[in-house]
C-alpha cells in the first residue's frame, strides 16, 4: 500500500535547484524596468501635463479628468510597447490581499473593426462588484455598485502582459472598502499637522511624509510535502504535529549559509521585485528552520505598502517555479518562532530631516523630542487600538510566543533616550538638550576596526521599539496588510499632534514665549506617557501584572480586542482626522469578526478530517498489528512467559486506545461547539464562541494526536512530520 508521506519525501529529496536566468549586469540596469516612472513619463507625456500631474500628486490635489485622459494615452503607449495586452485596477479589499480584473486594450467600432483603446475614464475608475468583497454591511448583496479609482501617487507597473494600476476601492455611498483609502487619508492628516508643528522649528519645511520599511519573514516548504499535508494546504498552518527533536534550540540556522534551492528562489524573487521597482536589499536565514527574511530600503508608506503586497504575490509565483510553497501564516509550526512583518516607521521633511532622529544642536533636538514624545502619547492613548490593528486568527498564535512581541503594547526607548527624558522632566527651559551621536566601542583586538554604537540598544520583546531614528512596530503579522497598522498609527499620532498644537498655540497667543511653552508642554507629556514606556522583559509574568496596574490594554481574546475600534475615543480620533467614519469602523469590525469565524471554522473542519481519515486509521492499523502480535505470542510461548513478553504491547495498545478515544470524543465535542457557535445571532458573538469553545477543543485534540505520532510505527504514519517539513530544502 502506497504511503503519501513517503511518496512526497521521495520527490522532495530528489529536488535540484532551478537555474535562475538573472542578468549579469548591474541592478541599476533593470531596476524599475516594469514601472512607468516619472522619468519614463517624460518620453510619452507632454511636459506641461506632467507639471500639473506632479504638482497635484505632490500636494494631494485631485487630478482633472482631462489630464487623466492625456496620461492614459502615454501609459497605453508605454505598456503596449513593453508587451502589455491587458490592464487591471489593482486594489486592496478587506480580504487583506489584492484584487484584479483584467480587460484587453481594445474595443470594437460600429463597423466591427478592432481598435486599440485605453481612455482616461478607464484609467480613472472602474466598477468592481462591491457586494462580492467583504463590506461588513456597508453593501448589501443586492447593492453591488462600488468603484476603484486611480491612485496617481503610486506608479503603474507591468506583471507579465498586464498593466497594473494601483487604485482605491470605495462603495457607491463613498465609504472605504479597502486599506489604501484610509491609509492615504491618514498619511495626509499626519503630514499636514506634522508640517505645522515643524513650523515652530524650521519655516523651510513645506512637506512631511511618512516612511515605511517592512521586514518580511516567511517559511518555505517543499511543495510535495505541502501537498501531503491537508492542513497546510487549506489553513496555512499545521493543526497537529509533534515537535522535532532538533528545531531551533541550537540557534544554528539564524544568519547561516543559505541552502542552494532557497538561494535560487531568493535570487529570482529579488530580480522580479527589482524589475517592479521594489528596492529589496536584505535576505537571510531567520531563527527557525526553513524560515527566512527579506527587507527593502524604506519608502513612502503608501508606495511601500503597495510594494509589500506585490512582493508577497511575487514570492508565491516564484516559489511554485522552484517547487516550494511560501508559508506566510504567522505560526505555521507550533513550538518554534512564528513570522512577523516588522514595520519601521518614521517621518521625514522635504528638507531631508528625519523627525525621529536626534539633531546636531539643542534646537533640532527639541524638535526631535517634540515628535518623539507626541508619538509616545499617541501610543499610550490608543494602545488598545494599535493592538486591534494587528490581531487576527492567524497572528493570535504568534503573539507572546517564541520571540514574538507580547500581546500588550508598550514602547522601548533604550537607556540613553530614556535618560534624556528623565532629565528633561526635571530640567529648566533654558537648559540645552544634548543627545550623544553614535559612540565608538573599542574592542582592543588588532586589525579589527572600532564599532559605532547606536544611541539605543534593541529589545526583542518590545512590540513598539525605538531603534535610533524610527519606531519599529514588531507586532504586525507576516500575512497582514501593513496598511491596517500604519493607518491606525498615523491617525493616532496625527490626532495627538493636533492636540499638542492647539495647546501650544493657545498659550503663545496669550503672550507666552514659544520655547518656554514648547518645553513646558513636552515636560508634562513626558510625565503623562510614562506608563507606556517599558525597558524590561515583555514575556515575564511580572510585566503582565505591572502592565495591568499601569492601565494598559491586557486583553488577549481577539474578538474582544477588535472592540477597540468602536470605543468613543477611537471613533472620535478617526473622525477628527477624517480617516474613517463610524460606519466604516463598524464595517471593519464586522469583517474582522466574520473572517475570524471563517478561519476557525475551516481549521476545525480540517482538523476533524485529519483525525478521522489520517490519525485514527494509522493508530488503529498499528494497534491491530500489536494485537495480532499478542495473539501470536500466546500461541508460541508458554503461559508464564506471555505476560512479560507482551507487557510493552499491552502498554502501547492501551495508550493508543486512550488517545484514540479522546480524539473521537474531542472531534464530536468540537463539531457540536462549532454548530452551537454558528447559531449565534451576530458575527461578534460567533467569534467569541469560536474563541472560547472551539479553539480550546482543537488544542486538546492536538495533544492526543501529537502523542499518537510518537507511538505509531513511523512507516504507518501518513502525514509528513516536523523533522521533514522543517529540514528538507
Amino acid at each position: 500500500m502506497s504511503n503519501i508521506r513517503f511518496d512526497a519525501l521521495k520527490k522532495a529529496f530528489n529536488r535540484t535547484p532551478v537555474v535562475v536566468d538573472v542578468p549579469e549586469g548591474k541592478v541599476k540596469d533593470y531596476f524599475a524596468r516594469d514601472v512607468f516612472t516619472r522619468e519614463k513619463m517624460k518620453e510619452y507625456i507632454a511636459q506641461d501635463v506632467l507639471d500639473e500631474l506632479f504638482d497635484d500628486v505632490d500636494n494631494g490635489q485631485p487630478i482633472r479628468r482631462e489630464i487623466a485622459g492625456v496620461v492614459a494615452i502615454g501609459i497605453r503607449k508605454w505598456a503596449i510597447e513593453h508587451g502589455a495586452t491587458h490592464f487591471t485596477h489593482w486594489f486592496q479589499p478587506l480580504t487583506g490581499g489584492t484584487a484584479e480584473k483584467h480587460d484587453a486594450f481594445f474595443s470594437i467600432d460600429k463597423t466591427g473593426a478592432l481598435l486599440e483603446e485605453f481612455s482616461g475614464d478607464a484609467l480613472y475608475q472602474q466598477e468592481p462588484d462591491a457586494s462580492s468583497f467583504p463590506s461588513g454591511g456597508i453593501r448589501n448583496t443586492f447593492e453591488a455598485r462600488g468603484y476603484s479609482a486611480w491612485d496617481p501617487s503610486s506608479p503603474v507597473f507591468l506583471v507579465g502582459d498586464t498593466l497594473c494600476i494601483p487604485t482605491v476601492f470605495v462603495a457607491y455611498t463613498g465609504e472605504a472598502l479597502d486599506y489604501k483609502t484610509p491609509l492615504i487619508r491618514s498619511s495626509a492628516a499626519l503630514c499636514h499637522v506634522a508640517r505645522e508643528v515643524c513650523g515652530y522649528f524650521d519655516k523651510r519645511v513645506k512637506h512631511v511624509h511618512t516612511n515605511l520599511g517592512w521586514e518580511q519573514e516567511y517559511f518555505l516548504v517543499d511543495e510535495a510535502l505541502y501537498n501531503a499535508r491537508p492542513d497546510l494546504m487549506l489553513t496555512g498552518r499545521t493543526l497537529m504535529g509533534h515537535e522535532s527533536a532538533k528545531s531551533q534550540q541550537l540557534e544554528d540556522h539564524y544568519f547561516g549559509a543559505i541552502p542552494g534551492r532557497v538561494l535560487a528562489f531568493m535570487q529570482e524573487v529579488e530580480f522580479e521585485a527589482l524589475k517592479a521597482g521594489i528596492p529589496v536589499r536584505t535576505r537571510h536565514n531567520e531563527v527557525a528552520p526553513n524560515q527566512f527574511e527579506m527587507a527593502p530600503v524604506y519608502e513612502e508608506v503608501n508606495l511601500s505598502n503597495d510594494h509589500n503586497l506585490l512582493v508577497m504575490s511575487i514570492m508565491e509565483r516564484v516559489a511554485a517555479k522552484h517547487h516550494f510553497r511560501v508559508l506566510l501564516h504567522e505560526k505555521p509550526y507550533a513550538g518554534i518562532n512564528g513570522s512577523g512583518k516588522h514595520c519601521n516607521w518614521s517621518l521625514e521633511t522635504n528638507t531631508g530631516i528625519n523627525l525621529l532622529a536626534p539633531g546636531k544642536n539643542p534646537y533640532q533636538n527639541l524638535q526631535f523630542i517634540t515628535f518623539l514624545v507626541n508619538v509616545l502619547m499617541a501610543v499610550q492613548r490608543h494602545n488598545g487600538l494599535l493592538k486591534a490593528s494587528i490581531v487576527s486568527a492567524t497572528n493570535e498564535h504568534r503573539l507572546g510566543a517564541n520571540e514574538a512581541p507580547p500581546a500588550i503594547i508598550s514602547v522601548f526607548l533604550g537607556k540613553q533616550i530614556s535618560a534624556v527624558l528623565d532629565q528633561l522632566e526635571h530640567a529648566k527651559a533654558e537648559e540645552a538638550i544634548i543627545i550623544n551621536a553614535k559612540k565608538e566601542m573599542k574592542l582592543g583586538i588588532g586589525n579589527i576596526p572600532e564599532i559605532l554604537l547606536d544611541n539605543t540598544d534593541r529589545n526583542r520583546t518590545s512590540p513598539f521599539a525605538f531603534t535610533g531614528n524610527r519606531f519599529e512596530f514588531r507586532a504586525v503579522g507576516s500575512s497582514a496588510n501593513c496598511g491596517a497598522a500604519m493607518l491606525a498609527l498615523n491617525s493616532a499620532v496625527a490626532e495627538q499632534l493636533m492636540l499638542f498644537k492647539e495647546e501650544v498655540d493657545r498659550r503663545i497667543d496669550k503672550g507666552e514665549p514659544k520655547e518656554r511653552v514648547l518645553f513646558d508642554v513636552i515636560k508634562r507629556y513626558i510625565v503623562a506617557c510614562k506608563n507606556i514606556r517599558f525597558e524590561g522583559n515583555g514575556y515575564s509574568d511580572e510585566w503582565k501584572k505591572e502592565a495591568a496596574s499601569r492601565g494598559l490594554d491586557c486583553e488577549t481574546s481577539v474578538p474582544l480586542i477588535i472592540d477597540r475600534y468602536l470605543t468613543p475615543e477611537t471613533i472620535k480620533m478617526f473622525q477628527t482626522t477624517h480617516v474613517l467614519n463610524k460606519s466604516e469602523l463598524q464595517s471593519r469590525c464586522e469583517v474582522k469578526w466574520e473572517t475570524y469565524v471563517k478561519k476557525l471554522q475551516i481549521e476545525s473542519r480540517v482538523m476533524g478530517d485529519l483525525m478521522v481519515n489520517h490519525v485514527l486509521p494509522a493508530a488503529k492499523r498499528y494497534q491491530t498489528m500489536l494485537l495480532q502480535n499478542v495473539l501470536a505470542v500466546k500461541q508460541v510461548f508458554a503461559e508464564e512467559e506471555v505476560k512479560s513478553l507482551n507487557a510493552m504491547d499491552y502498554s502501547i495498545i492501551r495508550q493508543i486506545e486512550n488517545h484514540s478515544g479522546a480524539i473521537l470524543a474531542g472531534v464530536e465535542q468540537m463539531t457540536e461547539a462549532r454548530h452551537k457557535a454558528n447559531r449565534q445571532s451576530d458575527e461578534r458573538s460567533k467569534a467569541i464562541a469560536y474563541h472560547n469553545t472551539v479553539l480550546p477543543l482543537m488544542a486538546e485534540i492536538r495533544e492526543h494526536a501529537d502523542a499518537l505520532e510518537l507511538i505509531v510505527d513511523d512507516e504507518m504514519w501518513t502525514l509528513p512530520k516536523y523533522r521533514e517539513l522543517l529540514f528538507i530544502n
Side-chain angles (χ1 to χ4, degrees), residues 380-411:
Q380 175 163 300
R381 294 176 61 239
H382 295 289
N383 68 96
L385 169 66
L386 291 178
K387 181 161 64 174
S389 74
I390 55 91
V391 296
S392 64
T394 53
N395 208 17
E396 179 177 27
H397 299 284
R398 164 181 169 259
L399 294 178
N402 294 95
E403 294 193 28
I408 301 172
I409 301 297
S410 64
V411 179

Side-chain angles (χ1 to χ4, degrees), residues 182-193:
L183 178 60
I184 293 174
R185 291 173 183 166
S186 71
S187 291
L190 175 55
C191 294
H192 174 76
V193 67

Side-chain angles (χ1 to χ4, degrees), residues 569-587:
E569 297 81 9
T570 298
I571 293 172
K572 180 182 178 182
M573 182 269 288
F574 277 121
Q575 289 180 335
T576 300
T577 54
H578 304 289
V579 174
L580 291 165
N581 61 36
K582 187 175 181 179
S583 175
E584 290 170 318
L585 287 170
Q586 180 67 53
S587 73

